[in-house]
């Protein structure tokens, strides 16, 4: 996909006794040293609430913990997979065994060595009782067991093919953790003061307030450019903006689209954008009401002018989509086109389907999405223009996802946003379309199941790509969803910051950033 968002990249230079034990690994700073330290201050809207890799699926975790932890694989800002804590890997025994050769000379922040035992401990913990309490375990159940070959070699024995595993090893639950440290301090202390192998170590984590990181001088891959990273959790968009403009923070994540012009007009701050993985779609209740009829679903899709919404409501910082994925996703089909804006055609389809004028339908959404709250009013106006009256029901976020959506209690339409953190359509499509998945309360389609099972059963990229494109085409043809837009990831950056490279998935790495 070609867009002005991408072109901007070319302008860039490339708690208890246990807790007390955890704090014992803090670096000691001599009196008078603090004045000489270089500090990078970052604002983000949310607190990850827990720093343990197996206990979270939050983007807010990724934006801080990518500096503390590392995985066997690294995915860089260009979305390319690179060696991380593993220098290489190979598929053996008809792809039922994956062997990883580990990097030598790596230590955790507490001095504990990184080795095959640490990898085995990490995944046995993830797949065991500790991991079962969190959201990450389900991503790695294709792993049957981990075998230590020697100190620098480890085998993953697979119980089924997992073509997305290598990508998943670059994120979230797969981050390698230190066995001795966790066993010494316990799970609760690790939640609040974790130890990893990354370029920065935790100094202090104050929930809802901020996280202080210090450069880890024993890092295996070079030296961070700043001594300290001070991450502030600022939920109010106006406050983040004020701090950015006043110089109180050097970088702000989670920029709201209504702040874009302010940043663009500020002399000391720049807006940096990059195409991200997040998509916003409306899903249909296909088993009840008028949206059982695919003609009605197509009509609703054709009634909404998505390009205008993107320009007028999102400042042009998004792209229209024909499926629940952005252009950076494996399985994206450039030839698949969104339904056109055609209100006359929409009215004709509604009449053909026998839908009476002023028929009411309901859209359910979570109440934490301020941007979509405004957009939903515009969607209501578009639907009214073709004879449908839209009722909007807003729910507290946990109720919405854990009850309304999970139990199939929505109206004719409901809001769904997804980050697609693997940049592989499998991560989204399986959740949306395969029978029995938590995020799929209504669709039970043998054809979709077969396609999704096929792409998950092979490491052949060509077969997988075709199957995923077929899923997208089938969903489009039957109007199972109304794909709205793929949003850009936005950053506000002070002019004194050097070496900033935007992360499409908000998993910022601060190692190579300096502050003048």
């Amino acid at each position: 996909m070609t867009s002005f968002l991408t072109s901007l990249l070319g302008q860039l230079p490339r708690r208890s006794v246990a807790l007390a034990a955890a704090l014992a690994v803090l670096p000691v700073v001599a009196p008078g040293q603090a004045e000489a330290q270089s500090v990078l201050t970052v604002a983000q809207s949310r607190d990850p609430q827990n720093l343990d890799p197996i206990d979270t699926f939050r983007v807010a975790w990724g934006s801080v913990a990518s500096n503390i932890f590392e995985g066997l694989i690294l995915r860089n800002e260009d979305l390319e997979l690179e060696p991380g804590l593993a220098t290489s890997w190979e598929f053996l025994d008809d792809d039922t065994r994956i062997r990883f050769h580990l990097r030598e000379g790596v230590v955790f922040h507490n001095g504990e060595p990184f080795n095959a035992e640490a990898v085995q401990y990490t995944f046995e913990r993830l797949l065991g009782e500790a991991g079962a309490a969190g959201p990450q375990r389900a991503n790695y159940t294709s792993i049957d067991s981990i075998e230590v070959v020697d100190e620098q070699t480890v085998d993953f024995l697979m119980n089924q093919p997992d073509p997305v595993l290598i990508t998943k090893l670059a994120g979230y639950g797969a981050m390698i953790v230190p066995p001795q440290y966790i066993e010494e301090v316990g799970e609760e202390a690790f939640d609040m003061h974790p130890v990893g192998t990354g370029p920065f170590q935790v100094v202090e984590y104050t929930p809802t307030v901020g996280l202080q990181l210090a450069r880890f001088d024993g890092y295996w891959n070079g030296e961070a450019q700043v001594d300290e990273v001070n991450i502030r959790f600022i939920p109010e968009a106006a406050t983040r903006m004020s701090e950015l403009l006043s110089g109180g923070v050097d970088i702000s994540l989670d920029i709201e689209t209504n702040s874009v012009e302010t940043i663009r007009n500020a002399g000391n701050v720049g807006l940096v954008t990059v195409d991200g993985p997040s998509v916003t779609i409306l899903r249909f209740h296909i088993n009840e009401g008028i949206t059982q009829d695919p003609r009605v679903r197509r009509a609703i899709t054709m009634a909404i002018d998505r390009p205008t919404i993107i320009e007028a409501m999102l400042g042009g910082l998004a792209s229209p989509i024909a499926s629940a994925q952005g252009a950076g996703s494996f399985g994206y089909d450039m030839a698949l086109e969104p339904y056109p804006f055609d209100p006359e055609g929409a009215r004709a389809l509604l009449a053909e389907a026998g839908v009476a004028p002023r028929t009411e339908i309901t859209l359910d959404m979570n109440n934490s999405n301020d941007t979509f709250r405004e957009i939903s009013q515009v969607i209501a106006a578009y639907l009214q223009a073709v004879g449908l009256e839209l009722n909007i029901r807003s729910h507290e976020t946990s109720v919405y996802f854990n009850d309304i959506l999970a139990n199939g209690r929505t109206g004719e339409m409901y809001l769904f946003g997804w980050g697609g953190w693997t940049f592989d359509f499998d991560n989204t499509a399986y959740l949306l379309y395969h029978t029995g998945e938590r995020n799929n309360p209504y669709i039970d389609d043998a054809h979709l199941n077969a396609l999704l099972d096929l792409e998950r059963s092979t490491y052949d990229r060509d077969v997988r790509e075709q199957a995923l494109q077929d899923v997208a085409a089938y969903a489009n043809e039957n109007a199972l969803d109304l794909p709205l837009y793929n949003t850009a990831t936005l950053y506000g950056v002070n002019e004194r910051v050097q070496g900033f490279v935007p992360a499409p998935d908000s998993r910022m790495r601060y190692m190579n950033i300096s502050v003048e």
Side-chain angles (χ1 to χ4, degrees), residues 232-246:
R232 299 171 58 189
F233 308 134
I234 307 176
E236 303 83 6
T239 306
R240 289 198 306 279
M241 181 59 54
S242 175
E243 288 291 284
L244 177 66
L245 297 177
S246 69

Side-chain angles (χ1 to χ4, degrees), residues 204-478:
E204 184 176 9
Y205 171 43
T206 307
T208 75
V209 177
L211 174 66
Q212 183 182 355
L213 303 176
R215 180 174 61 202
F216 176 49
D217 291 330
Y219 185 52
W220 63 271
N221 195 27
E223 184 176 284
Q225 299 300 299
V226 294
D227 300 299
E228 182 180 311
V229 178
N230 181 24
I231 299 172
R232 299 171 58 189
F233 308 134
I234 307 176
E236 303 83 6
T239 306
R240 289 198 306 279
M241 181 59 54
S242 175
E243 288 291 284
L244 177 66
L245 297 177
S246 69
V249 301
D250 302 304
I251 300 171
S252 179
L253 284 62
D254 309 313
I255 296 295
E256 303 276 353
T257 54
N258 57 12
S259 299
V260 165
E261 285 307 309
T262 300
I263 295 177
R264 284 173 171 165
N265 294 327
N268 63 327
V269 176
L271 179 72
V272 180
T273 74
V274 59
D275 288 335
S278 297
V279 295
T280 298
I281 67 176
L282 296 182
R283 308 208 71 204
F284 293 109
H285 192 328
I286 66 169
N287 300 331
E288 294 180 2
I290 64 172
T291 49
Q292 292 182 83
D293 192 325
R295 294 172 297 182
V296 174
R297 302 196 296 266
R298 293 188 190 103
I300 291 173
T301 303
M302 293 161 61
I304 299 171
D305 189 349
R306 288 167 282 177
T308 294
I309 288 175
I310 290 170
E311 289 300 320
M313 307 294 290
L314 299 173
L317 296 169
S319 302
I321 49 177
S323 58
Q325 60 183 322
S329 168
F330 179 78
Y332 180 82
D333 185 358
M334 294 183 62
L336 186 65
E337 296 184 357
Y339 283 79
F341 174 54
D342 183 2
E344 184 176 341
R347 283 189 286 268
L349 281 174
L350 291 172
E352 182 182 318
V355 178
R358 302 188 63 82
T359 293
E360 295 187 359
I361 60 173
T362 297
L363 166 64
D364 285 284
M365 63 174 289
N366 55 304
N367 62 9
S368 62
N369 195 321
D370 294 336
T371 298
F372 192 78
R373 186 179 294 110
E374 296 180 8
I375 291 174
S376 67
Q377 300 299 323
V378 175
I379 289 174
Y382 279 124
L383 294 182
Q384 187 176 49
V386 299
L388 296 175
E389 299 294 329
L390 184 66
N391 300 315
I392 301 170
R393 293 191 304 210
S394 183
H395 308 269
E396 193 276 324
T397 298
S398 63
V399 172
Y400 178 67
F401 287 106
N402 296 326
D403 182 14
I404 303 299
L405 196 161
N407 294 312
R409 298 177 55 233
T410 74
E412 286 83 357
M413 295 193 296
Y414 60 99
L415 174 66
F416 189 81
W418 192 244
W421 67 274
T422 62
F423 287 91
D424 188 302
F425 191 39
D426 165 271
N427 178 245
T428 306
Y430 203 92
L431 297 177
L432 293 182
Y433 304 121
H434 198 282
T435 301
E437 287 297 307
R438 178 181 176 84
N439 290 310
N440 175 27
Y442 304 124
I443 300 170
D444 182 5
D445 190 299
H447 181 64
L448 285 173
N449 289 344
L451 288 171
L452 292 163
D453 291 339
L454 170 62
E455 65 88 14
R456 280 205 166 183
S457 67
T458 179
Y459 291 100
D460 188 313
R461 287 179 61 84
D462 292 337
V463 172
R464 290 194 65 239
E465 183 173 41
Q466 186 61 59
L468 289 170
Q469 290 182 351
D470 289 347
V471 168
Y474 186 87
N476 178 273
E477 179 184 357
N478 292 278

Side-chain angles (χ1 to χ4, degrees), residues 95-97 127 137 140-145 156-162 459:
D95 299 337
T96 62
R97 180 188 298 265
L127 296 170
R137 183 181 183 276
Y140 303 93
T141 53
S142 59
I143 303 170
D144 183 71
S145 62
F156 283 39
L157 303 184
M158 308 299 293
N159 56 44
Q160 64 187 58
D162 188 345
Y459 291 100

